Amino acid sequence: MNKITIICGTNRVDSVSYQISVIYQQLLAKAGCNAEIIDLTDLPNDFAFTALYENSGKNEEFNRFRKLMADSDKFVFVVPEYNGSFPGVLKTFIDGLEYPGSFKNKKSALVGISSGIQGAGLALSHLTDIFHYCGMEVLSLKPKLSHIEKNFDGQQITNKLYQLLIEEQVDKILAF
């Protein structure tokens, strides 16, 4: 079975994105696939200055994330909407990875989360463009979990449609 890594797309402590990542991990485990979560809160505080560009590969703390991403075959990105797009820390994380090896010829699934009506639709569109540029295929089913505060109780997704979409996406990423 392919190695799947789930990326919580924010470095906000105790985020809903992380909680949804855990639910996704549990659904994958139920389907017989063990997946690891990368929580961007675990990134080194200075990685934007010590692990990118001329410093690529020189930050040992960040290198473990680079290795995990390089060794993965598939990814699930759980992405909150920040100012009409995705968090800057996620873009910086992507920029710090080996190019194009981290994503080329690999596959991913995207889940959007927002407090508003769009469910991070623009964020997922922006991220899809970046991944296509990097040579990664993106699953077409992209659940957009809008008004998340009304549809998640802190433990489980309470919206039956959202739960069904996530479960369908789990099946699709496993078969993708």
Side-chain angles (χ1 to χ4, degrees):
M1 180 167 284
N2 293 321
K3 181 174 180 179
I4 299 177
T5 299
I6 302 166
I7 297 88
C8 171
T10 181
N11 61 344
R12 181 174 285 178
V13 176
D14 297 325
S15 69
V16 172
S17 300
Y18 181 76
Q19 295 166 343
I20 299 296
S21 296
V22 170
I23 289 171
Y24 210 107
Q25 182 184 42
Q26 292 167 348
L27 289 170
L28 284 168
K30 187 176 175 182
C33 177
N34 291 323
E36 188 165 346
I37 296 175
I38 291 179
D39 184 355
L40 298 187
T41 62
D42 294 332
L43 291 171
N45 289 334
D46 65 348
F47 85 98
F49 302 100
T50 62
L52 278 69
Y53 318 122
E54 69 276 359
N55 294 317
S56 181
K58 295 179 182 176
N59 182 316
E60 290 305 317
E61 281 184 81
F62 189 76
N63 285 347
R64 75 180 173 93
F65 295 100
R66 286 173 58 112
K67 180 167 178 21
L68 180 57
M69 295 294 286
D71 291 347
S72 297
D73 302 301
K74 297 179 184 180
F75 306 98
V76 176
F77 287 83
V78 180
V79 183
E81 180 179 336
Y82 282 21
N83 301 314
S85 190
F86 56 86
V89 70
L90 178 56
K91 179 63 166 80
T92 308
F93 173 72
I94 291 167
D95 289 348
L97 299 174
E98 182 184 345
Y99 175 83
S102 294
F103 298 123
K104 189 172 178 88
N105 299 319
K106 295 183 181 183
K107 298 175 180 176
S108 68
L110 309 179
V111 178
I113 297 174
S114 74
S115 295
I117 190 87
Q118 293 186 24
L122 286 172
L124 299 184
S125 177
H126 295 162
L127 200 52
T128 298
D129 288 346
I130 291 166
F131 290 150
H132 284 171
Y133 179 85
C134 292
M136 183 161 61
E137 297 297 322
V138 179
L139 189 65
S140 62
L141 176 61
K142 301 174 192 172
K144 297 166 190 72
L145 312 183
S146 63
H147 298 294
I148 194 64
E149 293 83 5
K150 297 176 187 174
N151 296 293
F152 178 70
D153 68 8
Q155 300 293 319
Q156 63 183 359
I157 299 168
T158 57
N159 182 305
K160 288 185 186 350
L161 175 60
Y162 288 1
Q163 184 66 32
L164 287 172
L165 288 170
I166 296 291
E167 290 171 4
E168 182 180 351
Q169 190 188 50
V170 165
D171 291 340
K172 287 184 179 290
I173 191 68
L174 289 170
F176 191 29

